[in-house]
């Protein structure tokens, strides 16, 4: 089972996370052998490598295909490592199993297509190979959950999730927006399924990979799927985000693991006391929202009585401009305030519209 690959006792601090690392794409036998050899020296025994590379647009390098599979077998034999590759069709699955691949993953583009997910799941019936499922390209939690449900209904339960971020037109820092709340929500639905982070695809730049990896550890992720190439600047795909094996080894040494359990009665009591204060603050927050919604209902009744339109853009502009300023004075993140009041305004418009539409 894939769960056996992860640290058995997460209460231990400084315990190394499970790592799968290797090139974005398997390019040549020489590139593969050199990279795997260097990764093995860094203590990496699980290797990843793209054989087929589904791309957003044609014309990009899409992998060397089936000819890479014997190269991988040779690397496994030479260095005593295990190998994971991406599959995007039943034919890929057949070839991967024929060449003794140790782990498979379903990529973000495949996860976005339920027909493809179903095809892969059906082709894996009876196979004894762990499967990683990446989140879909867009921020759709249900689509990600549905992919796991399709595999489970096909009798495949040796599964893990891979968080690789989501496409977002507004994202300016990372290649893909982390949107950490989505994998957290996934874990709430499937607590038994391990969650792995792909910091390479979230970061998009090698200088940001460690930042993302540390954040994942802080959120109790179970491991990493990381891209590494012995000459990353010369890589045929995703050159900017790949680390050399030596840089990867150094990064892993610098990551700080966190204990998810509390040692000692005093620590537990202090934490519970703070949590009780948070519960009280949340209750007061909900009371404030309830009070605001009661006032919104009064506004709605007034507008109905005086035949006034629900949406007042000047008023909304005033709220949207002033609330972040108020929050900033309290040290609250501006983006949080904007998102919070956007939701509150949406609910306010809904309530007022219902009042206007109600027949007396």
């Amino acid at each position: 089972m894939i769960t056996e690959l992860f640290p058995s006792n997460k209460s231990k601090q400084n315990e190394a996370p499970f790592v799968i690392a290797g090139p974005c794409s398997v390019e040549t036998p020489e590139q593969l052998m050199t990279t795997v050899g260097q990764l093995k020296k860094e203590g990496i025994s699980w290797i990843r490598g793209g054989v087929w590379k589904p791309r957003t647009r044609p014309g990009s390098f899409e992998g060397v295909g089936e000819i890479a599979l014997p190269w991988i077998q040779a690397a496994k034999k030479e260095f005593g490592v295990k190998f994971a590759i991406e599959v995007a069709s039943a034919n890929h699955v057949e070839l991967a199993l024929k060449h003794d691949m140790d782990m498979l993953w379903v990529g973000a583009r495949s996860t976005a297509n339920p027909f493809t997910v179903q095809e892969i799941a059906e082709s894996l019936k009876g196979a004894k190979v762990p499967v990683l499922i990446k989140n879909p390209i867009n921020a759709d939690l249900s689509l990600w959950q549905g992919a796991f449900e399709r595999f489970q209904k096909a009798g495949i339960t040796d599964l893990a999730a891979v968080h690789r971020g989501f496409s977002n037109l507004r994202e300016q820092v990372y290649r893909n927006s982390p949107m950490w709340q989505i994998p957290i929500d996934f874990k709430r639905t499937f607590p038994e399924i391990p969650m792995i982070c792909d910091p390479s695809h979230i970061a998009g730049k090698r200088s940001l990979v460690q930042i993302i990896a540390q954040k994942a550890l802080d959120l109790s992720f179970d491991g990493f799927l990381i891209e590494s190439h012995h000459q990353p600047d010369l890589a045929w795909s995703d050159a900017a985000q790949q680390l050399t094996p030596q840089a990867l080894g150094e990064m892993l040494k610098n990551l700080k693991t966190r204990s998810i359990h509390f040692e000692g009665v005093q620590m537990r009591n202090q934490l519970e006391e703070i949590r009780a204060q948070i519960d009280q603050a949340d209750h007061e927050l909900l009371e404030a929202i309830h009070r605001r919604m009661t006032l919104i209902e009064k506004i709605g009744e007034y507008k109905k009585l005086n035949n006034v339109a629900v949406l007042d853009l000047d008023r909304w502009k005033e709220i949207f401009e002033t609330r972040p300023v108020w929050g900033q004075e309290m040290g609250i993140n501006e983006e949080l305030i904007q998102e919070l009041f956007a939701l509150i305004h949406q609910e306010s418009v809904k309530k007022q519209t219902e009042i206007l539409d109600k027949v007396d």
Side-chain angles (χ1 to χ4, degrees), residues 1-3 5-6 18-20 46-49 76 82-87 96-97 100-106 124 128-133 158-160 162 196 224-225:
M1 292 292 290
I2 196 169
T3 51
L5 299 173
F6 300 109
F18 173 59
V19 177
I20 306 173
W46 275 89
I47 309 298
R48 57 143 290 151
K76 288 176 57 178
K82 295 188 176 183
F83 221 96
I85 67 169
E86 178 177 356
V87 291
L97 296 179
D100 304 315
M101 296 301 104
D102 303 288
M103 185 181 292
L104 307 177
W105 81 78
V106 179
L124 278 167
K128 302 298 182 182
V129 58
V131 179
L132 312 177
I133 303 178
D158 198 4
L159 303 167
V162 179
I196 298 171
F224 300 116
L225 182 68

Side-chain angles (χ1 to χ4, degrees), residues 157-178:
T157 57
D158 198 4
L159 303 167
V162 179
H163 173 46
R164 49 84 73 193
F166 303 90
S167 295
N168 185 346
L169 292 176
R170 294 188 301 169
E171 181 59 63
Q172 296 180 353
V173 178
Y174 302 115
R175 176 178 176 179
N176 292 304
S177 293

Side-chain angles (χ1 to χ4, degrees), residues 18 157 163 168 199 206 219 239 246 271 290 306 322 336 343:
F18 173 59
T157 57
H163 173 46
N168 185 346
R206 63 180 63 97
L219 293 172
Q246 295 77 17
L271 191 69
H290 173 72
N306 293 277
T322 58
L336 170 63
L343 289 171

Side-chain angles (χ1 to χ4, degrees), residues 152-209:
Q152 290 170 336
K153 285 183 179 180
I156 301 158
T157 57
D158 198 4
L159 303 167
V162 179
H163 173 46
R164 49 84 73 193
F166 303 90
S167 295
N168 185 346
L169 292 176
R170 294 188 301 169
E171 181 59 63
Q172 296 180 353
V173 178
Y174 302 115
R175 176 178 176 179
N176 292 304
S177 293
M179 298 187 188
W180 296 105
Q181 189 58 44
I182 293 178
I184 290 171
D185 289 342
F186 179 95
K187 284 290 287 183
R188 191 171 66 246
T189 307
F190 295 107
E192 75 286 358
I193 292 178
M195 178 66 70
I196 298 171
C197 182
D198 178 349
S200 304
H201 279 90
I202 293 176
K205 306 181 191 71
R206 63 180 63 97
S207 62
L208 299 175
V209 171

